Amino acid sequence: METDEEDVSRIVPFQLQFDKPLASQIKIAEWNPEKDLLAMVTEDSKILLHRFNWQRLWTISPGRCITSLCWRPDGKAIAIGLQDGTISLHDVENGKLLRSMKPHTVAVVCLNWEDDTGEEVSDGNFVAKYEDRTSRFFPPAPRAPRVPGLVPGETGFMDESENLSQELSNSSHQRFNILCSADKEGVISFSIFGIFPIGKIDIHDFSVSCPLANQHVDCKLLNASISKVVLSKDLCHLTVLCSGELQVPEHDLHGFHCLTLDTSIFYKRRNELHQVAQQASNIEDLTEVIRASLSVMSKQWSDAMHTFHDKFGSLSSLIHDHGLDSTPQEEFLSLIGGARTSPAVHQFLVNSLGEVGLKRISKLVCGAGKELQVIVLEHLQPAAEMIGFRIGELRGLSKWRSRYQGIGLDETLISHATEKSGMLLIQVQRFMRVLSSSVQQFSNFFNWLHKCVKMLMSEPSDQHQFLAFNSELVILFLKYLYDQDPVKRLLESTEVDHSIEVDSETMERVQELAHFGGFTDLDYLRRTLAKEFQQMESCFKEAFRMPFTTISKKILCQNLSPLFPIESISKSASSTVPTSISYYKEAMHSKQHSFVDYITFILPDEPSSELANCVVVMRCLMNNDLEAVLLCVPDGYRCVDLSLYKECQLVLLLNGPSSENLEKACMTIVQADDLPFVSIPNSDASSPWKLHELKDSIVYLEMDSLKVRGIPHSVIAPLAVSASRGVACVFATRKRALVYILDEDEDEISDAE
């Protein structure tokens, strides 16, 4: 590169904005698609979020190795892929965890998130073809209750400060979008809104026809490792770059390959999928509210009952110590019947329990009962009612078989799930009756004991000062509630089958009601509330698994192109090949959904290869014709990373030749659509490797171009380029970050400074 003063002033179109030191080296970096925000992942797997002016907004550490990252298309959430196959979604405002799911069993090596770009009006506002009617009939969805006494954020339960996070994860406010994730074993998963699984494929399962030796033969991938997956802007195609063995008759081809998957089902049925995913994802949110409610209720009631039985359990020991063979219930029944108080009961009420202890236990038990009633009324019951409405909406859609059967919305399974949601509401009402009766009887029992304690302590008091109690209820309490716990039994979620006994007369009435229609489940009264919830959730999972299975079968391999050979294939081979894929609207046609996919990657140097130090630029036209060009980097330069930019531009990051020059690296922009592409035949090829067709038509990169910027440091990957903001972030070997403005027009980002 020329370095005299005249040429340097001529070849500097980019403006350096910042040159900042870093505490740790960066391994992944992505710009927010809508805002001047840069997300970076350090080598020790911390996520840093910086503004364009390098102000740090937050830092989070998931505690596991981060292997991939991408932004939601609206820029309001970020997806993180982890080493164990987990994908977590985080709020851009504060880094708070919104969702976590595990669609893979091994490391998530790449993520791509695209939304439907076709649903816009002239002013750019999103127009939904499907209205979520739930807000017409219901208030905002309830949040999961918080455990009393714990600091917000210490548990998985939401608090008041998480309203925004809940709003961000709510699918009702999003454009239809799909998150694609690929793991190192070749499995690709798809989820709508990033939260509702809608498909999964394994690239090893595809068998496609491939041109070899002037004829088409069936071939199959083995031991493939994915490098990049990108979904087209119209959601119709998924481009996959991977390395692996291509199994063909008589021999295997070890190399780098490009697959094109037909995902047109997402575009053709996007309205139906949007409706199903919107209702299903909200139902899953509401089931989490119910699960958290049951958990909190069970803990609070168990704690209260533990204290009650722990305190009153000492009465049995006192009775035994005094040589009596009666039970506490019999002693209390004798007391309420007017008999003389036994020494054991007297000692327990006056010395062990006392007025203060009685008031404390009464407040604890009755308070817990009231808190449970509040949780039911404000969290559990509203969630169950909204689930019933939403599953009812899905049931209506499932009856439109011509449109919804094709995406796996099964009418029978949805109807079964609808019935289960109704049964849950019945169980909630029964639980409230049992809880109310239990709390009333506990309160009545404690009022009676309070009077007994006062009388035994011989304290003069006015009869009107005693709280009212009913002797008959005290007797019922001692008979049915003193050593039994119907509330706990309804909340138990153990694997042991705790069936509730129902008398024959009641069962006959249930059977008579079933004859009138509306439900077929005759055993719901024998189940607990927790068991009913488990069965409902199981029905939902079965019903929502059908669309997942159906869509997975409709994602097909459209094309497989062997690109170039790699002698020593390994699981990490593809991850070391810097790649970039982007889709641009085709200017030659006026169709609404005409996109050309550009694929570019650095060609690995192989000892036996005639192609060295080259960058490959490929494009697939709408008629599936493949074109490509080899861009040769000048001697002394090595391409470190690359990124496709807006308007078919390609940004290259190069390390320069070793010299005393101040510029140890450079960044350049190439207009990709101006390159002399060569058509690559899909059939009758003399060689199976597509790029071998290009060795006689190599284009040499001109380093004296106007669009070259010298960099005073040696650089490393990644190169982070923002197409929407026109900026690039370069990372140097000495833990430095350099931010450049790529566009000559700086008005677009001037506000960010």
Side-chain angles (χ1 to χ4, degrees):
M1 182 179 293
E2 298 175 331
T3 59
D4 60 277
E5 184 175 350
E6 180 181 355
D7 285 343
V8 170
S9 63
R10 178 176 64 83
I11 66 172
V12 181
F14 313 118
Q15 182 178 353
L16 176 64
Q17 292 296 295
F18 302 104
D19 185 348
K20 300 288 186 180
L22 294 168
S24 180
Q25 201 60 265
I26 303 299
K27 64 178 182 179
I28 305 173
E30 291 286 344
W31 286 97
N32 187 298
E34 296 292 332
K35 302 177 182 179
D36 296 315
L37 300 173
L38 177 64
M40 297 174 287
V41 179
T42 62
E43 288 184 336
D44 55 352
S45 288
K46 292 181 180 178
I47 307 173
L48 316 177
L49 187 69
H50 283 244
R51 291 190 185 276
F52 175 74
N53 60 9
W54 216 246
Q55 174 192 1
R56 184 178 298 185
L57 297 182
W58 46 259
T59 302
I60 60 173
S61 178
R64 287 163 288 178
C65 180
I66 300 174
T67 53
S68 54
L69 175 149
C70 79
W71 287 95
R72 200 167 76 181
D74 61 6
K76 295 181 179 180
I78 188 169
I80 308 297
L82 302 178
Q83 183 74 31
D84 64 353
T86 300
I87 298 176
S88 59
L89 308 184
H90 297 263
D91 182 4
V92 67
E93 295 294 332
N94 49 30
K96 187 171 293 184
L97 179 65
L98 300 174
R99 287 293 186 90
S100 182
M101 55 185 179
K102 194 173 182 181
H104 302 276
T105 57
V106 293
V108 182
V109 294
C110 53
L111 295 165
N112 176 242
W113 209 335
E114 291 292 341
D115 62 1
D116 178 21
T117 58
E119 305 297 322
E120 292 187 358
V121 292
S122 58
D123 61 356
N125 293 324
F126 171 56
V127 177
K129 291 187 177 180
Y130 172 70
E131 177 193 5
D132 185 359
R133 302 190 304 163
T134 312
S135 58
R136 288 189 183 186
F137 307 102
F138 293 90
R143 298 181 300 276
R146 190 177 64 203
V147 177
L150 291 183
V151 177
E154 290 185 347
T155 69
F157 305 123
M158 295 183 179
D159 57 21
E160 295 294 335
S161 64
E162 292 178 315
N163 289 343
L164 178 61
S165 296
Q166 188 184 41
E167 193 75 9
L168 285 172
S169 62
N170 192 337
S171 61
S172 300
H173 302 277
Q174 296 183 48
R175 184 201 300 268
F176 180 70
N177 59 70
I178 294 178
L179 174 64
C180 306
S181 59
D183 64 32
K184 68 177 185 179
E185 298 292 343
V187 175
I188 303 174
S189 293
F190 305 87
S191 57
I192 301 176
F193 309 125
I195 56 179
F196 180 68
I198 196 60
K200 177 181 285 189
I201 56 101
D202 188 334
I203 61 175
H204 301 99
D205 295 337
F206 292 122
S207 180
V208 295
S209 179
C210 183
L212 180 65
N214 297 323
Q215 62 179 337
H216 282 263
V217 296
D218 289 335
C219 54
K220 193 172 184 178
L221 280 169
L222 297 175
N223 301 319
S225 180
I226 295 176
S227 173
K228 194 88 169 180
V229 294
V230 174
L231 193 63
S232 64
K233 302 297 182 182
D234 58 4
L235 310 181
C236 289
H237 301 92
L238 181 76
T239 301
V240 182
L241 292 180
C242 65
S243 62
E245 303 174 20
L246 190 61
Q247 188 181 44
V248 295
E250 299 182 359
H251 64 281
D252 294 340
L253 303 176
H254 300 253
F256 200 67
H257 315 283
C258 177
L259 286 83
T260 303
L261 304 184
D262 181 3
T263 58
S264 57
I265 184 69
F266 294 139
Y267 173 73
K268 295 175 182 177
R269 295 301 186 93
R270 64 191 187 280
N271 293 326
E272 294 90 338
L273 290 172
H274 190 169
Q275 297 172 45
V276 173
Q278 183 171 283
Q279 296 292 1
S281 59
N282 278 281
I283 286 174
E284 290 180 355
D285 286 343
L286 293 167
T287 57
E288 289 302 319
V289 173
I290 295 178
R291 178 181 291 104
S293 299
L294 291 174
S295 177
V296 174
M297 291 163 60
S298 180
K299 184 179 186 307
Q300 288 188 250
W301 187 255
S302 295
D303 290 347
M305 289 297 97
H306 177 76
T307 303
F308 172 79
H309 292 298
D310 184 58
K311 194 66 177 178
F312 278 77
S314 62
L315 177 57
S316 299
S317 301
L318 289 173
I319 294 174
H320 182 268
D321 293 342
H322 283 80
L324 302 176
D325 58 357
S326 57
T327 63
Q329 295 96 311
E330 292 172 344
E331 291 293 330
F332 283 134
L333 287 172
S334 299
L335 183 60
I336 199 173
R340 185 175 180 179
T341 307
S342 67
V345 173
H346 187 282
Q347 182 179 348
F348 171 74
L349 294 178
V350 175
N351 301 328
S352 300
L353 185 62
E355 185 177 2
V356 175
L358 178 61
K359 287 182 177 180
R360 185 177 67 84
I361 294 180
S362 175
K363 182 179 180 181
L364 181 64
V365 173
C366 296
K370 292 178 181 179
E371 288 176 0
L372 262 61
Q373 291 175 330
V374 170
I375 291 175
V376 171
L377 295 176
E378 295 184 359
H379 301 272
L380 195 153
Q381 185 170 324
E385 291 172 349
M386 293 181 74
I387 285 176
F389 179 84
R390 288 188 177 278
I391 196 66
E393 293 278 88
L394 285 178
R395 185 185 184 190
L397 296 177
S398 68
K399 293 182 179 295
W400 194 351
R401 298 179 182 176
S402 61
R403 289 193 63 177
Y404 291 92
Q405 195 171 31
I407 63 168
L409 195 64
D410 187 88
E411 182 181 357
T412 302
L413 294 177
I414 293 295
S415 296
H416 191 204
T418 304
E419 179 176 315
K420 288 298 180 182
S421 67
M423 293 304 176
L424 180 67
L425 281 170
I426 294 176
Q427 294 284 7
V428 170
Q429 295 298 324
R430 179 170 70 166
F431 175 79
M432 284 295 285
R433 290 196 299 270
V434 172
L435 176 62
S436 178
S437 175
S438 298
V439 172
Q440 180 186 6
Q441 293 192 50
F442 266 107
S443 178
N444 184 78
F445 174 67
F446 291 137
N447 291 343
W448 171 71
L449 277 186
H450 183 259
K451 178 183 178 181
C452 294
V453 170
K454 283 285 190 180
M455 295 177 62
L456 291 174
M457 296 177 68
S458 303
E459 294 185 3
S461 58
D462 190 351
Q463 291 291 334
H464 297 290
Q465 292 181 355
F466 295 126
L467 296 174
F469 65 88
N470 186 309
S471 300
E472 294 182 0
L473 287 180
V474 173
I475 296 173
L476 291 175
F477 173 86
L478 294 171
K479 185 176 181 180
Y480 297 108
L481 287 180
Y482 184 85
D483 56 357
Q484 300 180 44
D485 194 348
V487 175
K488 179 183 177 182
R489 183 170 57 175
L490 291 176
L491 293 174
E492 282 180 335
S493 58
T494 58
E495 296 297 329
V496 181
D497 186 15
H498 293 280
S499 298
I500 299 175
E501 295 183 4
V502 182
D503 60 88
S504 58
E505 182 180 351
T506 302
M507 288 303 302
E508 290 177 0
R509 293 179 59 188
V510 170
Q511 292 174 1
E512 292 175 359
L513 289 173
H515 289 304
F516 290 99
F519 69 97
T520 57
D521 187 358
L522 302 180
D523 295 324
Y524 68 94
L525 289 178
R526 293 193 172 99
R527 292 191 293 270
T528 65
L529 174 61
K531 192 68 175 179
E532 195 70 60
F533 170 70
Q534 290 176 350
Q535 289 200 5
M536 182 193 75
E537 190 176 25
S538 177
C539 288
F540 285 159
K541 288 181 178 179
E542 184 180 5
F544 297 151
R545 195 180 297 118
M546 280 298 295
F548 177 88
T549 305
T550 303
I551 298 299
S552 297
K553 293 178 180 178
K554 295 189 177 184
I555 299 174
L556 306 174
C557 186
Q558 193 174 45
N559 187 32
L560 193 157
S561 300
L563 298 180
F564 60 87
I566 300 177
E567 293 182 357
S568 55
I569 215 70
S570 67
K571 281 293 180 181
S572 60
S574 66
S575 61
T576 60
V577 179
T579 60
S580 181
I581 307 175
S582 188
Y583 286 78
Y584 301 101
K585 282 191 177 181
E586 189 175 15
M588 296 180 293
H589 302 286
S590 59
K591 295 180 180 180
Q592 183 179 2
H593 297 285
S594 295
F595 291 92
V596 177
D597 61 319
Y598 277 74
I599 305 168
T600 180
F601 53 88
I602 300 174
L603 191 65
D605 290 337
E606 287 289 320
S608 61
S609 176
E610 301 177 9
L611 307 175
N613 205 17
C614 289
V615 172
V616 181
V617 183
M618 303 169 55
R619 66 181 180 186
C620 183
L621 304 178
M622 294 306 298
N623 55 4
N624 290 327
D625 288 342
L626 191 64
E627 297 180 341
V629 62
L630 288 178
L631 194 60
C632 185
V633 178
D635 292 338
Y637 290 90
R638 303 298 296 178
C639 188
V640 175
D641 203 356
L642 45 74
S643 177
L644 284 163
Y645 185 44
K646 61 184 179 181
E647 299 174 355
C648 300
Q649 293 178 325
L650 173 62
V651 182
L652 300 175
L653 183 63
L654 310 171
N655 269 326
S658 300
S659 67
E660 296 180 357
N661 294 339
L662 295 177
E663 298 172 350
K664 298 181 179 180
C666 65
M667 183 167 49
T668 182
I669 296 182
V670 178
Q671 191 64 41
D673 55 352
D674 289 342
L675 295 173
F677 284 91
V678 176
S679 178
I680 300 179
N682 286 324
S683 60
D684 300 329
S686 58
S687 170
W689 303 109
K690 301 294 185 182
L691 298 185
H692 282 182
E693 306 290 329
L694 306 175
K695 58 185 178 181
D696 296 328
S697 56
I698 296 177
V699 177
Y700 293 91
L701 180 65
E702 297 291 336
M703 295 306 296
D704 59 351
S705 167
L706 289 177
K707 293 194 173 182
V708 177
R709 170 66 194 231
I711 300 173
H713 308 282
S714 295
V715 294
I716 59 174
L719 167 66
V721 176
S722 172
S724 62
R725 299 299 175 182
V727 295
C729 185
V730 176
F731 298 96
T733 54
R734 296 184 178 181
K735 296 183 180 180
R736 302 196 67 84
L738 298 87
V739 179
Y740 294 90
I741 295 179
L742 298 181
D743 293 335
E744 296 180 4
D745 183 7
E746 303 173 26
D747 295 339
E748 191 174 342
I749 60 172
S750 59
D751 293 337
E753 302 180 29

